[in-house]
Every structure is written in C-alpha cells, then in structure tokens.
Amino acid sequence: MLFSVLTLFVGQALAAPSLSSIKVERASAQAFVSTSDLRYKLSAVNAPVSGPGSPGGASTWSLSIDDTSAGYKQKVTGFGGSVTDATITVINALPSAQRSQLLRQLLTSDGANFGLLRHTIAASDLSGPPAYTYDDSNGNADPSLSNFNLGDRGTAMANLLKEMKGIRSDLTIFGSPWSAPGWMKLNRVLTGNANNNWLDSQYYSQYAEYFVKYLQAFARLGATLDAITIQNEPLNNQGGGHVTMYQSASEAATVTQNYIGPALRAAGLNTQIWAYDHNTDQPSYPQTVISGAGGFVQATAWHCYAGNLDWTVLTNFHNANPGKSQYMTECWTSPATSWYQSSKNTVGPLQNWAEGSLMWTLGTWTQASDGTFGPYIQGGCSTCRGLFVVNQNAGTYEFTVDYYMLAQFSKFIPKGATILAGSGSYSYAGYSGIQSVASKNPDGTRTVVIENTFGNDVYLTLSTSSGQQWSGNLLAQSVTTWILP
C-alpha cells in the first residue's frame, strides 16, 4: 500500500461543468466528476495527462493498477438500486414524458446506465400499507397454493420490470422476499409478532413452490428474473409492522438443498440462488449455506450495515469460495448518510471481489415536512431516500447526490468489464483519503474511479503495470472517473 505525504494547498482549476448528456469518446483520455455539493454532476473536466504532470503546490497522491492479465480479477455484472413498491408508486405518479425520460436516464447511457436491479418479492418496509405476500389466503393455510395471486402490486412490479428489460435487454434483475406468507410461519402472521417468526418445517415444500409460482407468474407477464435470494436479512427479526422473517443458516442450507433448488430445476427454471443477503459481520452464515447447498448456490449477497464494516471480508470469502460470485445488494441512502455513502459502499466491495453494488432504494417521494420520504410501511424505513425523488404535486423528479456518486461507476464501468488489481488506496480516521478501483473494459479502454474524501483538491499520479503514467487533478470531496485509451 502506498502512503502519500499531503500538503494543504488548493488544487488546479478545472474546466467548467457540462450538464449535457455525456457520450464517451474513446480516442483519448477523458475525465468526469461529481462533487458533494453537486456543482459538478457527471461533468466533463480536464482529462488526465500522460506522464507526471504539473501538480504545482497541490496535495499529491499516487496510485497504481495492474492492467496486464496478471491483474485481472472479477467481471462486473452491474450497478443500480432496489425496485420497491415505493419505487413503482412514485414512478407511476409522473407524467408520461417525465416517466419515460427517467427510465432512460436510469437504464441507458443517457444517464447512469444501471445494469443490475433488485426487486422486492411482495411487501418490504418500503411498501405502502397493508403488508402482503402473493398468497396471504386471509391468514388461512393454503398448502395447495391455490390462492396464489400476484395481486395489483405484484402485477405492477412485473409490468415495470418488463418495461425496464425492454429498455435495457441485458439488465440483470434478482428478487428478494421480506417474508414467506404468514400461514407458512410458526407464529401464523405476516407482521406484528417476532416470536416464532420463522418457517414451519411442514411447509418447506410449499415455500419452495411459492418461489416457483412467483417466477413463473412474472415470466408470463414478460419479466424473467435472473436470480433470487431466499430471504432478505434472515437475521433481522422484528415485531411491529415491519415485514421480517428469521431464518438460521442451517435452515437456509436445508431448504435450498432439499426444497428450493430441486423445485426450480424440476420446473425447468435456470434462476440462480444467491445466499444470505445480510451483513458482513456473519460470514459463517453464507459459508454454511454454500457448504450445505453449494450445488444450487451461485453467489453470496452482502449488506452494508455491520457495525464495524469491513469489506475485506469479501476477499476472505472469495479465497475460501473462488468459484462463487459476490454482490453488495443493499445499502441505504438518506440525508442522514454521508455524501459518499453510495461510492464508499461500491468502491470497497469492488476492491474485494464483488461483481456489483446496489443502493436501497431506487425511488421515493421528496422529503415531507416531517422529514420522512416513503411510501413506507409502519415500522419500516421512513427516512430512506431514493436515488431519485419525485415531487408528486409538481410531477417532476430529481436525482440525489447518491445517484451521481454511484453513476460515476455505473456509467463508465460497463457490464462485462474486468476489475483490476491495484494499490495506493487509503483512508485515515473518519474516512478522509483516496479510494480507487479500476477496470479493463470490453472495448479495450480502462476506467479508473477515484473517490477523494479530503476537503481539498489532490493531484493524482497513476502508474500502470503496462508501463504508462497518467496524472490529473481531483476536486475536493468528489468522485472522479478517468477513461484511459
């Protein structure tokens, strides 16, 4: 790891920001930046120069990347956010022209170019009340699943996902449930009771068939899903109105190996199963699932909420399970989180073998007078703010700082890019520092994304194992993306 001596001077001035749609040219180096104050938003700025450059009196930093085949790591699937019931509500509240424009900005190079989405299987904490599943059966047992029905909200979800795949055909979408139907659980309720809030083993087969029916129902509506996790945050067990269900690692392994995996195969579905979908502080959980059901599990999903968050857990997990993919599948964004919430929880996972990163959630209302966003369910996350927010009265939307910082990755690291080994990233106490990740892209270009959380500009020098050197300025409190030929 390279450590830099920093000096406290103002960095070089950059070109004026451009808010026009960016069409990336490949003939020469380019640079784009977003700043914490949103003065710059995916704006084109002075490109890095070949060689050491002229830092003047600016602070300096050095990074290196291995852009030879020896430095090749994981391939990227994509970046994005979660499509919740709240997301559907606010998108569908927009006038037609605004709605179409928003979807293109989310899913194409007109904007963030998101290529990976998570959707909620029935209700989550970002659903309007009441909570629901696709087979509530009025609380009565339905072992034949004869009452399975997507309902209005499930149908609306499938229709939006179909529309999104129509805009971007290579979009990867996976689904996550917040709970099985209440009658499948020992406490027999969907919400309101954390006691015995887990599956009744007599309904393991119905639990597996529930996934099959959901996948088939979505497919009939034109929304084919690429993967599922079998339970969102399985160690999060709450009463009140929040939708949760506890599931131990051993039970997850059992139902995956003996029920869900075989049921998907028997139905002719090639849907992947991603294990865990929870925090990095319990890596033994997904290891137990992979050890017990590895033939049916293709990946592990991680969230960002561990008290002592350490993304190197993913490197250790990769070393133990080199054939399994990993994703960062949830990290909340809010006015209460830092300006670098989405970038910090993307660059860290990418440095440690993740193939994609998603924020929670894609869209919400603008902030209400009481400080809440929503729609949300009782006991859910009232202060979660989407990557975009919709003003219902005005019929308009705007992107948040979290959108722009995530788009510094998603817009310029394409699906199929290969993450490169690198060194020189370092953060001091309080997360002040420089963090970076680089990729080799399918068209032969290289992308380098650099997060500068210092309060001053920094002049960066980048060395490559292929024998090149590039230098340029990083604005204070910004995420900068270099495209190198």
Side-chain angles (χ1 to χ4, degrees), residues 18-353:
S18 169
L19 300 182
S20 61
S21 179
I22 301 166
K23 303 297 183 184
V24 179
E25 303 293 337
R26 303 301 187 187
S28 59
Q30 292 180 283
F32 304 92
V33 67
S34 297
T35 53
S36 63
D37 60 5
L38 295 185
R39 180 186 172 200
Y40 294 80
K41 297 184 286 189
L42 297 172
S43 303
V45 292
N46 290 339
V49 298
S50 180
S54 302
S59 306
T60 60
W61 198 278
S62 296
L63 294 171
S64 64
I65 61 171
D66 187 350
D67 54 351
T68 70
S69 59
Y72 289 3
K73 296 176 68 179
Q74 75 275 24
K75 287 191 179 295
V76 171
T77 299
F79 311 88
S82 294
V83 183
T84 61
D85 287 334
T87 300
I88 295 171
T89 297
V90 302
I91 284 178
N92 289 343
L94 288 168
S96 178
Q98 289 279 302
R99 184 181 182 280
S100 297
Q101 177 180 276
L102 170 60
L103 291 175
R104 288 200 59 80
Q105 287 180 304
L106 291 172
L107 300 170
T108 75
S109 58
D110 288 354
N113 205 33
F114 289 153
L116 176 64
L117 296 176
R118 180 190 192 212
H119 94 90
T120 52
I121 302 174
S124 72
D125 50 314
L126 290 183
S127 296
Y132 71 100
T133 71
Y134 299 149
D135 193 344
D136 290 317
S137 190
N138 293 317
N140 299 313
D142 182 25
S144 66
L145 298 182
S146 58
N147 293 316
F148 182 94
N149 192 326
L150 294 182
D152 292 343
R153 287 191 277 183
T155 300
M157 175 69 73
N159 288 337
L160 180 59
L161 297 183
K162 174 189 176 182
E163 184 178 0
M164 288 174 152
K165 282 219 171 186
I167 295 170
R168 178 163 185 175
S169 60
D170 66 347
L171 187 63
T172 300
I173 306 176
F174 72 99
S176 301
W178 264 236
S179 176
W183 58 267
M184 291 189 190
K185 300 194 288 186
L186 279 171
N187 62 13
R188 303 294 186 246
V189 294
L190 180 57
T191 64
N193 185 358
N195 296 322
N196 295 317
N197 189 34
W198 46 83
L199 285 169
D200 184 338
S201 60
Q202 70 172 306
Y203 292 125
Y204 282 171
S205 294
Q206 286 80 7
Y207 179 60
E209 188 61 23
Y210 180 78
F211 283 103
V212 171
K213 283 184 171 290
Y214 137 73
L215 291 166
Q216 291 173 333
F218 270 56
R220 283 194 295 270
L221 292 174
T224 301
L225 284 305
D226 299 283
I228 57 169
T229 65
I230 67 170
Q231 176 59 41
N232 170 69
E233 297 186 348
L235 301 179
N236 179 11
N237 183 30
Q238 297 185 35
H242 194 359
V243 186
T244 66
M245 185 177 79
Y246 177 82
Q247 187 169 71
S248 70
S250 60
E251 181 179 67
T254 296
V255 296
T256 300
Q257 175 67 20
N258 298 332
Y259 297 91
I260 299 174
L264 296 184
R265 288 191 181 174
L269 297 167
N270 60 0
T271 314
Q272 292 191 2
I273 298 174
W274 298 357
Y276 191 38
D277 218 7
H278 210 168
N279 296 338
T280 56
D281 55 358
Q282 297 291 332
S284 62
Y285 188 114
Q287 189 59 67
T288 296
V289 177
I290 287 175
S291 297
F296 291 112
V297 175
Q298 289 76 33
T300 294
W302 305 94
H303 293 186
C304 76
Y305 307 121
N308 186 21
L309 182 61
D310 180 7
W311 290 117
T312 64
V313 167
L314 276 66
T315 288
N316 296 333
F317 198 84
H318 167 79
N319 292 338
N321 305 279
K324 304 298 182 182
S325 299
Q326 298 185 83
Y327 297 91
M328 200 295 289
T329 54
E330 186 184 314
C331 196
W332 83 306
T333 56
S334 165
T337 58
S338 64
W339 67 265
Y340 49 75
Q341 176 79 342
S342 64
S343 58
K344 174 184 179 181
N345 292 295
T346 298
V347 68
L350 288 179
Q351 290 169 343
N352 290 282
W353 294 94

Side-chain angles (χ1 to χ4, degrees), residues 86-87 89-95 98-99 102 362-369 372-375 385-400:
T87 300
T89 297
V90 302
I91 284 178
N92 289 343
L94 288 168
Q98 289 279 302
R99 184 181 182 280
L102 170 60
L362 204 57
T364 60
W365 297 126
T366 52
Q367 191 170 26
S369 58
T372 63
F373 291 87
R385 180 183 65 188
L387 297 177
F388 68 87
V389 292
V390 170
N391 185 319
Q392 185 176 16
N393 293 329
T396 58
Y397 66 89
E398 63 179 329
F399 295 117
T400 65

